[in-house]
Amino acid sequence: MQKKVLEFMEQYHMAEEGERILAAVSGGADSVCLLLVLSALQKEKKYQLFVVHVEHGIRGEESKQDAEFVENFCKKHKIPCKVYHCKAEIYAREHKMTVEEGARELRYGYFQEAAKEFHANKIAVAHNQNDCAETMLFHLARGTGLKGLCGILPVRENIIRPLLCVERREIEAYLKEQGQEYCIDKTNEELEYTRNRIRHQVLPVLNEINSQAVAHMNQTAAMAVELEELVQQLTREAKQRYVCKKESGILILHNIQNENSVICKSLVHQVLTEHAKSSRDISGVHVLEVIELLEKQVGKRVNLPYELEAERTYEGIQIRKSKREVIEKITQKAWKIVPGETLEIPEYGYKIRTTILEKNFKNQEIPQKMYTKWLDYDKINGSMLLRTRQEKDYFIINVEGGRKKLKNYLIEEKIPREQRDKLLFLADETHLIWAVGYRIGEDVKVTEHTKRILEIQVDGGNIHE
């Protein structure tokens, strides 16, 4: 094990003489193995070793016991250790994330903070080949491109992964051979988490088909990394030929159509993510919408995430901030909705309550009331406003993503013209999701796949339910 990890570390230049390495140790089998191996290689590689542990406040007393285990281990082996305590569930709720996402963001934030305190050059985390395979499968199931097939990289900025050359079974065998105890996180067995279902239900079947399935998937990931690097290099070269900065935004020249389709898509995605300063909500669908503008007449536009829009011009495609009014400049009546908080609107006599439901709702009936609605929280795009109508407002009316203009909907519902400006609508950052007292959008309806529900209830005024 030690020799294998050493060769892997040298291959990717993970640790040089005199460097300070911070090992992220949860107390589980993988991270304890990482610490043992790094400690054993310390004399040979001549680096200094430190430890960081993050207690997420999720598993109560068990979580605290894990922290004590790590602290005691470090004291015994005379390794400097820093422990952080946080509330991952509260953080995730406040930042509209899953608990997994919130815990990860907190964890890596504390890793970087500890690295500064210890003046560490590198942060070592304990991902192994099984983790890489699970990540690939997760990306494939959700929909991914070449980048998603890269799995987990051995080195990313100051993060190193020395155990990415071994499988989980090798880790467990090594710990048994060393007679080393470790902590067991019972939540890793719970099948409500997607990654756990992949780990316990999908990978075992693949291993039955081929015992080398994990190793082969890691080989594919390594090839995907090489291909992705090539694509990015060609994309950078293409960017110099086809992209111009303009005062109003970024112009992609129309002769990009002559470029290879893979590079064309990669370039558009890169331009959108750079302009938005985020890639999280930019999907392949948005990239294709932009490229399809090249076949349309001048003046045609598409709305994109992060308040971006693309417009077909004589020169090509202009990417810029949307001309739609920013929330702060809205002249119509608008109130921000913050889940978990109660909003009062005196002029309507309304009191709006919102709650996030994450557990124990599967067997409950969806409310059929006019002023109490359940919405799929994870399908809502960004922040929410309760507001009066705006020009170009629309609903999603079917599972295919079909749209209906609000103006047409109000006519079909025979709502008097004089009442239309007084109606309130719940909107996210892209479109309407509920006409208060009327319909909700098809795209935010609760389904069997819903993980989190936004329950919104409007009381007061002339409401009687």
Side-chain angles (χ1 to χ4, degrees):
M1 166 75 83
Q2 292 174 14
K3 183 181 177 183
K4 191 173 184 180
V5 173
L6 175 60
E7 290 175 353
F8 187 71
M9 291 177 69
E10 290 177 342
Q11 178 185 351
Y12 288 97
H13 308 287
M14 292 187 183
E16 305 298 332
E17 184 176 334
E19 286 192 321
R20 300 163 74 89
I21 295 180
L22 176 68
V25 181
S26 67
D30 298 346
S31 64
V32 169
C33 176
L34 172 69
L35 186 53
L36 279 178
V37 172
L38 288 179
S39 182
L41 297 176
Q42 191 173 3
K43 288 183 180 179
E44 184 171 347
K45 294 298 293 182
K46 296 181 181 178
Y47 51 72
Q48 296 182 61
L49 187 60
F50 306 87
V51 166
V52 60
H53 174 88
V54 180
E55 190 268 302
H56 298 97
I58 296 175
R59 296 179 293 117
E61 194 57 37
E62 274 188 27
S63 191
K64 293 176 183 177
Q65 288 173 1
D66 290 355
E68 289 178 10
F69 172 85
V70 173
E71 284 186 296
N72 291 334
F73 184 99
C74 290
K75 285 178 183 177
K76 180 180 177 182
H77 293 82
K78 297 179 180 179
I79 303 172
C81 175
K82 178 74 176 180
V83 174
Y84 293 93
H85 299 271
C86 59
K87 299 293 182 184
E89 289 179 323
I90 295 174
Y91 181 86
R93 188 161 56 248
E94 289 175 347
H95 291 79
K96 198 182 173 184
M97 299 175 173
T98 64
V99 175
E100 287 177 285
E101 290 171 338
R104 185 186 186 282
E105 188 164 292
L106 280 171
R107 185 163 62 248
Y108 276 85
Y110 285 125
F111 291 171
Q112 297 295 347
E113 187 176 318
K116 289 181 182 178
E117 183 173 326
F118 288 123
H119 303 287
N121 309 88
K122 308 282 179 61
I123 300 171
V125 293
H127 292 118
N128 57 61
Q129 289 192 339
N130 290 64
D131 294 314
C132 183
E134 290 162 13
T135 299
M136 290 178 69
L137 290 171
F138 178 77
H139 289 164
L140 279 169
R142 192 175 58 175
T144 188
L146 182 59
K147 192 171 183 178
L149 291 178
C150 294
I152 301 174
L153 301 177
V155 178
R156 180 177 57 81
E157 296 176 351
N158 67 334
I159 305 292
I160 61 173
R161 298 180 170 93
L163 297 188
L164 211 52
C165 59
V166 297
E167 292 188 38
R168 187 166 288 124
R169 58 189 174 190
E170 295 177 79
I171 288 170
E172 292 171 353
Y174 177 76
L175 291 174
K176 185 176 181 181
E177 178 188 308
Q178 299 293 316
Q180 177 60 55
E181 295 182 349
Y182 53 88
C183 304
I184 297 176
D185 183 349
K186 293 179 182 177
T187 62
N188 287 335
E189 306 299 319
E190 296 175 3
L191 297 181
E192 64 182 88
Y193 296 110
T194 303
R195 187 172 287 275
N196 286 353
R197 291 201 296 275
I198 292 173
R199 178 176 299 173
H200 298 299
Q201 296 180 329
V202 179
L203 268 185
V205 175
L206 294 178
N207 279 319
E208 287 177 11
I209 296 171
N210 188 324
S211 62
Q212 297 299 308
V214 169
H216 291 162
M217 290 172 72
N218 276 263
Q219 290 167 9
T220 299
M223 288 188 285
V225 169
E226 293 178 349
L227 288 173
E228 175 65 11
E229 288 174 352
L230 175 60
V231 169
Q232 290 307 311
Q233 178 186 328
L234 295 174
T235 300
R236 287 190 293 271
E237 294 171 0
K239 188 177 179 182
Q240 294 178 351
R241 296 192 296 271
Y242 303 114
V243 177
C244 309
K245 282 192 176 181
K246 297 285 186 178
E247 198 171 314
S248 57
I250 298 175
L251 174 67
I252 303 175
L253 298 174
H254 65 83
N255 55 352
I256 193 178
Q257 296 176 94
N258 301 327
E259 190 58 69
N260 176 280
S261 64
V262 173
I263 305 305
C264 182
K265 292 173 187 175
S266 175
L267 177 58
V268 171
H269 187 273
Q270 187 179 109
V271 169
L272 293 179
T273 55
E274 286 179 359
H275 209 48
K277 296 182 173 58
S278 177
S279 63
R280 180 172 179 177
D281 295 323
I282 294 174
S283 68
V285 172
H286 301 121
V287 171
L288 289 176
E289 283 181 336
V290 172
I291 294 173
E292 286 168 2
L293 281 176
L294 292 167
E295 305 298 329
K296 297 182 179 179
Q297 66 191 58
V298 171
K300 286 291 184 181
R301 301 175 185 171
V302 293
N303 291 325
L304 301 164
Y306 304 103
E307 295 182 350
L308 295 180
E309 72 175 11
E311 180 181 359
R312 179 68 164 100
T313 68
Y314 287 108
E315 297 175 287
I317 300 171
Q318 184 85 19
I319 308 293
R320 63 187 171 218
K321 278 291 182 180
S322 172
K323 292 180 180 178
R324 292 171 294 169
E325 290 183 292
V326 180
I327 289 173
E328 287 75 15
K329 297 181 181 178
I330 288 177
T331 56
Q332 294 99 330
K333 297 173 182 176
W335 298 266
K336 190 171 183 179
I337 295 294
V338 179
E341 295 183 8
T342 298
L343 170 67
E344 294 188 18
I345 307 178
E347 58 197 278
Y348 281 77
Y350 287 169
K351 184 177 286 187
I352 296 93
R353 298 181 176 87
T354 51
T355 308
I356 303 297
L357 309 177
E358 295 191 65
K359 296 180 180 179
N360 304 321
F361 59 78
K362 294 294 184 183
N363 297 322
Q364 296 185 43
E365 286 189 14
I366 299 175
Q368 301 300 316
K369 298 178 180 180
M370 293 173 63
Y371 292 92
T372 301
K373 295 296 180 184
W374 277 11
L375 311 177
D376 190 319
Y377 189 53
D378 294 302
K379 293 179 181 176
I380 296 172
N381 297 308
S383 58
M384 295 175 287
L385 287 180
L386 194 65
R387 60 170 174 78
T388 50
R389 64 175 176 158
Q390 295 179 6
E391 190 179 353
K392 296 184 179 179
D393 271 343
Y394 66 90
F395 285 103
I396 301 297
I397 59 168
N398 54 45
V399 293
E400 289 76 30
R403 300 180 179 184
K404 182 183 287 293
K405 291 181 179 179
L406 174 60
K407 180 180 179 180
N408 295 339
Y409 172 73
L410 296 177
I411 292 171
E412 290 173 5
E413 289 295 315
K414 296 181 171 60
I415 297 173
R417 188 180 298 274
E418 63 271 18
Q419 292 183 19
R420 294 175 190 174
D421 287 332
K422 298 177 183 177
L423 292 176
L424 291 183
F425 302 89
L426 183 65
D428 64 13
E429 292 182 0
T430 59
H431 63 290
L432 302 181
I433 54 180
W434 181 33
V436 177
Y438 295 90
R439 70 162 299 158
I440 65 172
E442 187 71 27
D443 55 325
V444 293
K445 284 186 176 180
V446 172
T447 68
E448 60 182 343
H449 304 296
T450 298
K451 294 182 178 178
R452 296 189 294 174
I453 288 174
L454 172 71
E455 181 181 75
I456 181 164
Q457 181 178 2
V458 181
D459 294 319
N462 297 317
I463 294 172
H464 301 287
E465 287 193 331

